[in-house]
Each structure stands twice: as C-alpha cells, then as structure tokens.
Amino acid sequence: IHITSVLFLVRLNRPTGSTRGNTGFRISSDVDISLVWRNPQIQDEQLLRLQISNVQVESAGKRSRKNNIFHGSSAESILGKVRLEALQRPFMVLSLYAHKAEPATIKNLKRGVASMLMMQLKSGKMSEADASGKCLVEYKATKDQVIRTKHLDTCKTQEMGFTTHSPVLGISGKSTSETVITLENGIIKSADVEETHILSINARHKAATKNEIKVSSNRQSLTLKKIEVGPTEVAGKDVASVVKSLDDKHMSVGVMVEKVKTKCKGCPNLMDTWKAVRSQLEPESLSKAEGPRSFLALLHSLRKASKSEILTVLRNCSKTVLPQLVDAVTSAQTPSSHSAILEFLDFSKKEGLVLQERFLYACGFASHPTETMLQSLLDLAQGKIGSTEIKESIVIIMGALLRKLCLKGACALPVKMLLAGPDSTQMESEVLMYLLALKNALLPEGVPVLAKYAESEVGAFSTIAITALQRYDPQLITPEVKKTLNRIYHQNKHIYEKNVRAAAADVIMSSSPSYMEVKNLLLSIGHLPHEMNKYMLSKVQDILRFEMPACKLVRQVMKDMASHNYDRFSKTGSSSAFSGFMARTADVTCTYNLDILYSGSGVLRRSNMNIYGQSNNAFLHGLQVTIEAQGLESLIAATPDEGEEELESFAGMSALLFDVQLRPVTFFKGYSDLMSKMFSISGDPISVVKGLILLTDHSQVIPLQSGLRTSAEFQGGLAIDISGGMEFSLWYRESKTSVNNRGALVVIGNVTVDTGFVSAGVEVGFETEATLDFITTVQFSEYPFLVCMQMDKTTFPFRETVSKQEKLPSGQTFSLKRSRDQLVPGSEFPLHQENSNMCKKVFEQAW
C-alpha cells in the first residue's frame, strides 16, 4: 500500500487568532506499508512493515518568503543526515519495532504514525496505549468508517508535571482528540487526526483570550495512493521471532513517546542570568513590573542550575539584593536549590533574621512543596535557633506546608506535634505559635483543640482560635463547637473581650446557623457594650445587603418584632462592618470586607480587612490584615469596657496572605514601651511582609499523538510590600491607622514544541503595578467621636503581550511580538453612607 502522509502539522496560536498568525511546522512524506506476518491463531493480529520516504518540512502558516525560515531548506538540511536516514529506515508495527539506537525524536515520529493506524472494528470503550500515553478510548464503528475518540484527561504518561495548589491562581486545560478512519473493502482509504489542547490562565480565561494558548496537532493524516502486490508473508509462530528474522537490530520500543533531551545552544547559565537581572531586583525596583519579571527569568535559570552554581551566586551577592535572591532560590523548589539555601543560611545566629524569615515565607508560599521541604523545617525547629521570632515562624509555616501536602494526600510528619503543641507548653508566646500553625494547617483533628482554646480566659488565645475556626469548612463546625461559640458570645461562663465575642458571632453567622442562634444574636443587640451594639447591627445589615448565605434566615427571624424593632435597630456608634466587590469578571469574583470595632472611649479595638477571590467554585483568601489595640483608655482618662479593665497596653498587626498566616508584628507592648514609642515614633509604617512570591506555577509535558512532545510553562511572580502603622496624638486627640499594600504582578505562559531540529513556541503574558491603601482616622475630641475610613486604589498600568517564535538549527529565526497597554483608572471603594458623612466632617475640621 502506497500512501501520502502528513506525519504531523503542529500549530501554536491563541484560540481566537487567525490562521495567518499560526506558528509551527509540518512534516509530510510518502509511506509504504506492507503486510509481513499474521498470527495463525488470530487473523486480525498482523505485523506491518512501514517505510517513510520523500520527506518535506514546511511552515504551518502562510508566510511571505521573507518571513518563511523554511523556504529554500531541504529535509536533510533541517533534520540532519543521521536523523533523515533514521526516519527513512523501515520499522514494524504491531507494537512498535525499530532500531534502539535511533534518535528519540525519530522513534517518537514513528510512534505517531503507528498510533494513526490503531483501530478496532467494533464499537465500545477500552484502555489503549499510543503515543499520547495509556488512555480511555471510545470507538464508533460502521461499515465504511471508524471514529476513534480519545479521552485525553484520562491519559497516564511517563512524565509528571506540577501545578499551583490553588485553582484560583492556577491553569485550566481543555483537550480533544479524534481520529476518523475511512475504509474501502477492509483497507484504510484515509485516516485524519484532529487533536487540540487549550491552556488558559484561570484569572484571565474568559476576560482575555490573549492569555490562552492553543496547541493543534492538526492535521495528522494518511491518504491512500495505490495498492500493489507486496512481498510474501513470512511464516512464524510469534511476532518476536519474525521481527528478529527480518532484522536482528529491530527491538520492541513501545508506542508511548520517550523523553527527548535537547541542548540549548547559546542559552545563558545562572551567573549570566544573574548579572543581567540583579539591578532590577534592588528594593527600589520591586514596585515596578521589572522586579517580578526578572524574578521569573532568574527562577527558570535556578531550576536548571546545580547546587554549587547556586551557592556561588548566593555568596557573591550584595546585601541589598540578597533577600530577593533568597526568595527566588527558595521558590525554585528543586533539590539543588533547597539544599543550597539550607547550607547558606545559619539559623543558629540572630544576624540573618531577615533572610531566614524570607526563606520561611517563600516556603509557606511554595507552589508544590515536598515532604523533604517540610522535614527540613521540622529538623530546623528541633535544632538550635538563634531567634525566638524565627522559631515561631518555622512552626507557623510548617502548618501551611502541612495543609498543602494534605490536599495532595500526603499528610505526615508533624501532625501530632502541632495538635499537641498548645498543651505542651506554659509559655504564652509558644501557645500562640502553635495555634497560628493550626490556623494554617486546617487539620480536621484540630477543631476540638481550637474549640478548647476559644474558651480560654486569655484574650489572644481566644481570638486566634476563633479566627482559625472561621477558616474551616462550615461542615466541620460541629454542634458542640457551635455551643462553645454561643457560650463565648453570650458570656455564659466567663466575661470576654469585645473582639473575642465579635469573632465568635462572625463564625456562628458563617457556619450554617440555626433559627434560634440567629434570633439570640439579634436579641442581644441593645444589651451589649455601646460600640459592640453598633458593630453587631452593622454585621446583620451587611449580611442582608450583600446577600450572604445566612441572609434568608436573618430575614425570617426579623419577621418577629421582638428581634426587629426600632429600639434595637437604631443603635448609634462608630463601629462598622461592610462588604463589597473589588472586581467582577466572567472568570473571577473578587470581594472585600472591612470590619472595625472601637472601645466605648473611641480608641480602636480591632480593624480587619479581608480580600477574597473566587473562580470556578474555588475559593482563595487572598489577604487579611488585622490591627488590634487594647489598654489605651488610660491615655485619654477614659473608662475601659466590661472585661477589659486589666488589659495590658498593646498594639499589633497580623497578616494572612494567599491562605498563609504569617507571624504577627507587635507595634508596642506594655505601658513603658507605649510611652517610649509615642515620643520616638516617626510615623513611618512598619513592614509586615515584603518580598517576591511565586503565585502561579504550572509545568507539564503534553505528548501529542503525532509523537511530538509539547512543553507548557506558566509562572506568575508578585512583588509585594504590606505595611501598617498606628499614629496617636494626645494634643490633637486623634488616632490614625493605615494599611498600605504595594504590588507588581507579572504572569507569563509559554508553550513550546522542540524536536531538536526545529522548535516553535508561543508566549502570552500580562503585567500590572498597583497600590491599595486603607486608612482609618478617628477624632475623639468630642462625643460621639468621628471616624473616617478610606480604601483607595490608585490608577495603574496594565499590559498584555503575545510573542511567537520559530527556530532552525542553522540559526534562522522568525519572531513576532505584540503588546497592548492601557491605564486602569483609580477609585475609592464605596463604604456605607454613614462613613461618607463622617469623612466629610473630619476633612472639614482639618481645613
């Protein structure tokens, strides 16, 4: 049988791009097929001999002669003499029999041809192995046609990639593969394969198809030219002996594609990359897109580098850039990079606290952590540590790593240690450390431990335990836990601080409350401390306005006049709770809420800002910044609220970033510390977290049915600086708290087909720089005191890019790059009308 064949036509483009924008290449040839043996017992089991000839390599897209790098090139000049001879060497198909010494790329192309010939003449589903891997295949057979549909999401391949644990920040893929085989008198007349893979960034999937990449192995085809009398069939009992008698160099090499090792000629090594990007990693450059872009470039180089190369760069780095280099080395997450950073950092000394904490935070944000990484932190926790703060961070971050490993089904190591931790020590700081670790780990077994500490008479224990419970799936908040929370809120056993009671109410309302639970909460309004009355009233109104899950039940309870009346719902004060939308697109919904609770004297008690992301039923707690203060009433000769008379003067800030709770920061603790800070305060914000974070991290190899391998890499880098401050003026009787968020984000995705003799690729990306400030000003010179909350987003740039490239061994290159820039106008996020009225008064008095 003589046929013409398109061995493969691979196209890379955006899904909405025109065919003129395709990048890729096509190899076509003639193929001679002859039957050399059939199984005497099973007539349909046949051994075929195939030989490829008249090979041609062309561009996949229509190009002018100037832009067509394949023009004037022969198959031999592109493939090379050795590869071309190997491709045209006969091979046999029942499985696949070829010379073992042939280049891997050539064997893979032959696997692609063999995969095209696979078929069953009966309809049904079965598991089959071909060039794509071992997959579930569905056949629909008629007299003259067989349709073979491959369910690519079931394919098991030899190469495993990795992806970000959070779907909100991850990558989605959609793949299809269909082969249509036309028969004539039992002989294949034609075979056409249509295979498509679309990869997209979840956060920009529908909003901008420029951030999708489409890979088409389209179209792989065979067309019958003529039929002639072939060689005589060989006699033999089994296929192995027959193959050996025909060519003793032929061996069974399997139909699944094998890994191809390609050498990058002229690619920079780690030191070259470091020299090129280090100036963009200086602290002053991090707020610009160049920072995370350079971070991603360095990350790619680090993942290919050896331990010794990484150590050389670490030991020859300036002090100003070293923290950013530690971020990158840790984020690389290779055995070499992890071993190098552990050898470089000395945790027994206090001097390297900044670098040690940057390493720990990068571990906490790791996209695909391993048990080795968690074990190394466990070893550090059990060794000599020079700083108490670092020991706390190690244990807290262990909780974050444990959660990510548990989500992958690899729960192990420090589970028992974290669960037993709070009861194993009498030191308050260590109890807090273990509770924060449990808040990160979210172990189902941790719920009873947290419920126990929620009822603690130590306010800090209660607050952390309750806010940790709020992060759990509501299904894990059992009736026993709810009883505990209700006891706390209604103070059935002890007197609790306002912020503890408010946190308990938040968990009750967000955990499928009962009718009576909601009714009792509403009935309590009017019997609470003055500012807590206003806070609870705002919370109920926010649930109704924002249509939270509990809103239907709240409306039902409010039909009862005892729960809903003017006396109860007319309470005044400055505390508030408000939720709103930051962004709503077809892909992602981003919401925020601001809760602020004051003491009866007008001093801030708790300020809580949250930002959430939701995409395709996946949820991400993007940011939580909490500022807490207590025991400040003595400064203004005010009376503390009930249960807060003996509280020590304290102010601090806590941050949770991308589902990872970080170590809290203390502004001051104790009256003497407060007074010293008041007289020496500069007004500058204190940094809570600063660094480079690998937000999106996806790597996979897609084996195409044509025998080619497509590599896909998507990475997103974020440079972030979160800081907070608290100013207190007795002279002006005014306090001001601020939370400042600065960030620059770069996301880059590329898909490349590299055969070793020709490569083609498409890269998409977007980048932005943004600032978000939350400022609360309180004037307590008179009562009722004035409170103004502001949440501002500055105008920021947004850029999208698309680039395409083809390259031949001769060095000929075709490249095309396009970009689109726009400015997104800034805005002040709306809060409730009462806040707007207050702000107007505050600014009028300021003038």
Side-chain angles (χ1 to χ4, degrees):
I1 300 175
H2 302 280
I3 60 177
T4 57
S5 169
V6 177
L7 298 185
F8 65 82
L9 167 61
V10 61
R11 295 182 177 131
L12 305 172
N13 202 355
R14 291 181 292 113
T16 56
S18 68
T19 55
R20 291 180 65 86
N22 285 329
T23 186
F25 48 94
R26 156 192 172 125
I27 295 184
S28 59
S29 71
D30 293 336
V31 181
D32 290 338
I33 304 176
S34 56
L35 175 63
V36 294
W37 173 85
R38 72 178 75 212
N39 192 328
Q41 279 76 40
I42 308 171
Q43 289 293 303
D44 287 340
E45 188 176 298
Q46 300 172 348
L47 179 68
L48 303 177
R49 178 183 181 276
L50 285 77
Q51 185 165 11
I52 295 169
S53 60
N54 192 26
V55 179
Q56 295 180 16
V57 185
E58 304 164 289
S59 174
K62 294 180 180 179
R63 298 263 171 78
S64 64
R65 181 176 294 188
K66 178 184 175 183
N67 292 325
N68 188 353
I69 62 173
F70 297 92
H71 181 75
S73 299
S74 65
E76 184 173 331
S77 67
I78 295 173
L79 274 76
K81 186 176 181 180
V82 174
R83 287 196 188 94
L84 183 60
E85 287 178 354
L87 182 61
Q88 297 183 145
R89 187 178 297 126
F91 60 101
M92 299 184 203
V93 172
L94 178 57
S95 172
L96 178 71
Y97 298 89
H99 287 203
K100 190 175 182 180
E102 288 179 353
T105 303
I106 300 304
K107 284 186 283 186
N108 285 344
L109 291 177
K110 292 179 177 180
R111 289 179 174 108
V113 176
S115 298
M116 263 197 294
L117 298 173
M118 295 179 71
M119 70 171 178
Q120 299 288 337
L121 297 177
K122 292 182 180 179
S123 298
K125 293 182 180 180
M126 61 191 68
S127 180
E128 286 186 347
D130 66 6
S132 301
K134 193 171 184 180
C135 315
L136 177 65
V137 177
E138 184 176 357
Y139 283 97
K140 291 181 181 179
T142 61
K143 181 182 177 182
D144 299 323
Q145 190 181 71
V146 175
I147 298 176
R148 181 177 185 256
T149 303
K150 190 164 21 173
H151 299 275
L152 293 171
D153 56 331
T154 67
C155 294
K156 295 179 180 178
T157 62
Q158 296 172 341
E159 292 184 74
M160 298 297 291
F162 53 80
T163 193
T164 306
H165 82 284
S166 171
V168 177
L169 301 171
I171 305 300
S172 292
K174 184 179 178 182
S175 302
T176 59
S177 174
E178 185 176 88
T179 303
V180 179
I181 300 172
T182 305
L183 303 172
E184 190 175 277
N185 299 323
I187 295 173
I188 295 176
K189 185 178 180 182
S190 66
D192 294 289
V193 181
E194 174 95 26
E195 182 178 359
T196 301
H197 302 265
I198 297 178
L199 298 172
S200 58
I201 302 165
N202 288 342
R204 299 282 299 165
H205 174 52
K206 296 172 186 170
T209 52
K210 284 190 176 182
N211 300 126
E212 296 182 344
I213 301 180
K214 180 177 180 180
V215 184
S216 299
S217 176
N218 178 26
R219 149 175 293 184
Q220 193 185 3
S221 64
L222 294 172
T223 306
L224 178 66
K225 283 178 67 177
K226 62 180 179 178
I227 302 174
E228 294 179 347
V229 177
T232 306
E233 292 180 24
V234 177
K237 291 183 179 181
D238 59 78
V239 66
S241 59
V242 171
V243 170
K244 191 171 184 179
S245 67
L246 293 170
D247 188 337
D248 59 3
K249 290 184 179 180
H250 273 88
M251 297 181 66
S252 175
V253 293
V255 291
M256 292 173 66
V257 297
E258 61 185 277
K259 190 172 182 178
V260 179
K261 294 181 180 179
T262 56
K263 293 183 179 179
C264 185
K265 295 179 180 178
C267 290
N269 58 29
L270 176 59
M271 187 58 76
D272 293 335
T273 303
W274 173 240
K275 288 177 181 177
V277 305
R278 63 186 172 190
S279 61
Q280 281 82 46
L281 294 175
E282 292 285 352
E284 58 271 16
S285 301
L286 292 185
S287 59
K288 309 231 182 261
E290 288 83 359
R293 196 186 307 125
S294 299
F295 167 67
L296 294 180
L298 180 60
L299 186 82
H300 279 282
S301 192
L302 283 164
R303 285 181 167 170
K304 299 172 186 174
S306 65
K307 177 182 175 180
S308 60
E309 289 176 311
I310 296 170
L311 281 170
T312 300
V313 172
L314 283 166
R315 288 165 178 163
N316 292 277
C317 179
S318 65
K319 288 184 178 180
T320 55
V321 183
L322 190 52
Q324 290 72 258
L325 179 57
V326 169
D327 291 337
V329 173
T330 311
S331 299
Q333 299 169 74
T334 64
S336 296
S337 65
H338 191 65
S339 179
I341 195 67
L342 286 175
E343 184 174 321
F344 178 73
L345 297 174
D346 186 351
F347 284 83
S348 65
K349 296 179 180 178
K350 281 186 177 182
E351 291 75 24
L353 188 143
V354 172
L355 299 179
Q356 293 164 20
E357 193 135 67
R358 293 285 279 264
F359 160 74
L360 293 170
Y361 286 172
C363 286
F365 297 125
S367 55
H368 53 284
T370 61
E371 290 186 42
T372 303
M373 180 181 282
L374 182 55
Q375 180 64 57
S376 66
L377 294 194
L378 185 59
D379 294 340
L380 288 173
Q382 294 170 346
K384 183 183 177 183
I385 300 174
S387 165
T388 304
E389 290 89 346
I390 291 300
K391 181 180 179 180
E392 291 172 3
S393 287
I394 289 173
V395 176
I396 292 168
I397 296 303
M398 279 169 58
L401 289 183
L402 183 60
R403 184 190 178 212
K404 292 180 181 181
L405 289 171
C406 287
L407 289 173
K408 296 195 297 182
C411 257
L413 295 171
V415 173
K416 291 182 180 178
M417 183 191 96
L418 295 187
L419 291 173
D423 292 334
S424 68
T425 178
Q426 298 297 316
M427 293 180 62
E428 183 177 321
S429 61
E430 291 190 356
V431 175
L432 292 172
M433 170 184 77
Y434 283 114
L435 290 175
L436 288 167
L438 289 173
K439 183 178 179 180
N440 268 335
L442 293 182
L443 297 167
E445 306 94 317
V447 172
V449 179
L450 294 168
K452 171 187 171 183
Y453 278 87
E455 284 196 281
S456 170
E457 294 184 41
V458 180
F461 295 174
S462 299
T463 303
I464 293 174
I466 294 171
T467 55
L469 289 171
Q470 193 169 16
R471 296 193 66 212
Y472 277 85
D473 187 319
Q475 293 180 350
L476 292 172
I477 306 301
T478 62
E480 290 75 17
V481 176
K482 285 189 180 182
K483 286 178 183 177
T484 300
L485 294 168
N486 278 286
R487 282 197 301 270
I488 293 168
Y489 178 78
H490 296 291
Q491 301 190 123
N492 298 135
K493 286 187 176 182
H494 305 290
I495 302 296
Y496 291 95
E497 301 166 29
K498 288 191 305 299
N499 59 326
V500 173
R501 298 178 69 189
D506 291 346
V507 181
I508 293 168
M509 282 296 208
S510 62
S511 303
S512 305
S514 67
Y515 179 90
M516 285 308 298
E517 284 174 331
V518 174
K519 184 173 182 178
N520 287 334
L521 286 176
L522 263 64
L523 288 173
S524 71
I525 299 175
H527 304 284
L528 304 168
H530 180 77
E531 282 298 326
M532 192 172 172
N533 274 326
K534 183 61 170 63
Y535 175 82
M536 288 301 299
L537 182 58
S538 291
K539 199 72 182 175
V540 171
Q541 291 169 338
D542 193 43
I543 289 170
L544 294 172
R545 187 189 59 81
F546 206 62
E547 295 189 346
M548 295 179 186
C551 68
K552 290 183 179 179
L553 194 55
V554 172
R555 285 195 177 95
Q556 187 179 344
V557 172
M558 287 174 62
K559 291 177 182 178
D560 181 358
M561 292 299 291
S563 304
H564 180 212
N565 54 53
Y566 178 79
D567 178 60
R568 207 177 299 285
F569 274 68
S570 62
K571 300 302 179 186
T572 60
S574 301
S575 299
S576 64
F578 187 85
S579 301
F581 289 100
M582 293 191 77
R584 273 192 285 186
T585 68
D587 309 298
V588 175
T589 299
C590 187
T591 60
Y592 68 91
N593 69 51
L594 298 173
D595 294 353
I596 190 159
L597 177 65
Y598 292 95
S599 68
S601 59
V603 178
L604 175 72
R605 192 67 179 83
R606 185 187 73 175
S607 166
N608 193 15
M609 179 178 74
N610 290 281
I611 297 176
Y612 303 99
Q614 191 168 357
S615 174
N616 298 323
N617 297 320
F619 185 79
L620 174 70
H621 197 164
L623 177 67
Q624 180 186 75
V625 180
T626 304
I627 294 180
E628 291 201 49
Q630 66 182 38
L632 304 182
E633 285 78 9
S634 60
L635 292 175
I636 55 174
T639 303
D641 291 336
E642 181 189 23
E644 301 182 357
E645 297 86 354
E646 304 298 325
L647 293 180
E648 182 182 31
S649 298
F650 167 83
M653 184 173 175
S654 173
L656 182 149
L657 188 61
F658 301 113
D659 280 331
V660 178
Q661 172 69 54
L662 307 178
R663 182 179 61 83
V665 173
T666 299
F667 296 152
F668 58 80
K669 187 173 184 179
Y671 189 77
S672 58
D673 189 24
L674 165 61
M675 297 310 294
S676 66
K677 294 282 175 61
M678 283 189 66
F679 289 111
S680 63
I681 194 165
S682 63
D684 295 331
I686 297 174
S687 179
V688 178
V689 59
K690 187 175 187 177
L692 291 156
I693 300 173
L694 185 61
L695 272 191
T696 298
D697 194 16
H698 179 91
S699 177
Q700 73 177 115
V701 173
I702 305 172
L704 303 176
Q705 182 170 306
S706 60
L708 295 180
R709 297 165 66 258
T710 301
S711 62
E713 298 274 344
F714 285 78
Q715 275 83 37
L718 174 70
I720 194 165
D721 183 0
I722 299 176
S723 58
M726 186 173 184
E727 298 177 44
F728 201 91
S729 172
L730 289 176
W731 182 261
Y732 293 105
R733 297 183 72 81
E734 180 179 279
S735 70
K736 183 178 286 188
T737 59
S738 62
V739 177
N740 312 113
N741 303 278
R742 307 273 186 277
L745 173 67
V746 174
V747 178
I748 297 173
N750 68 75
V751 172
T752 306
V753 178
D754 190 348
T755 63
F757 54 84
V758 61
S759 67
V762 171
E763 182 176 283
V764 298
F766 64 88
E767 59 187 50
T768 187
E769 302 159 9
T771 299
L772 179 68
D773 294 326
F774 174 48
I775 301 168
T776 305
T777 304
V778 183
Q779 290 184 352
F780 46 88
S781 55
E782 58 185 70
Y783 194 86
F785 42 85
L786 300 175
V787 179
C788 172
M789 293 185 293
Q790 297 167 274
M791 190 170 171
D792 298 332
K793 176 185 70 176
T794 59
T795 297
F796 62 91
F798 186 86
R799 166 178 283 194
E800 292 178 294
T801 59
V802 179
S803 60
K804 304 172 184 181
Q805 189 178 64
E806 295 170 357
K807 191 173 182 180
L808 293 177
S810 61
Q812 287 179 280
T813 301
F814 164 78
S815 61
L816 177 68
K817 186 172 182 177
R818 291 177 180 169
S819 64
R820 184 180 70 173
D821 294 2
Q822 66 182 95
L823 277 178
V824 180
S827 64
E828 184 169 333
F829 289 101
L831 299 175
H832 44 82
Q833 185 60 44
E834 188 178 340
N835 180 70
S836 300
N837 297 337
M838 286 258 199
C839 287
K840 188 176 180 182
K841 290 182 181 179
V842 168
F843 293 131
E844 281 176 352
Q845 291 189 12
W847 281 99

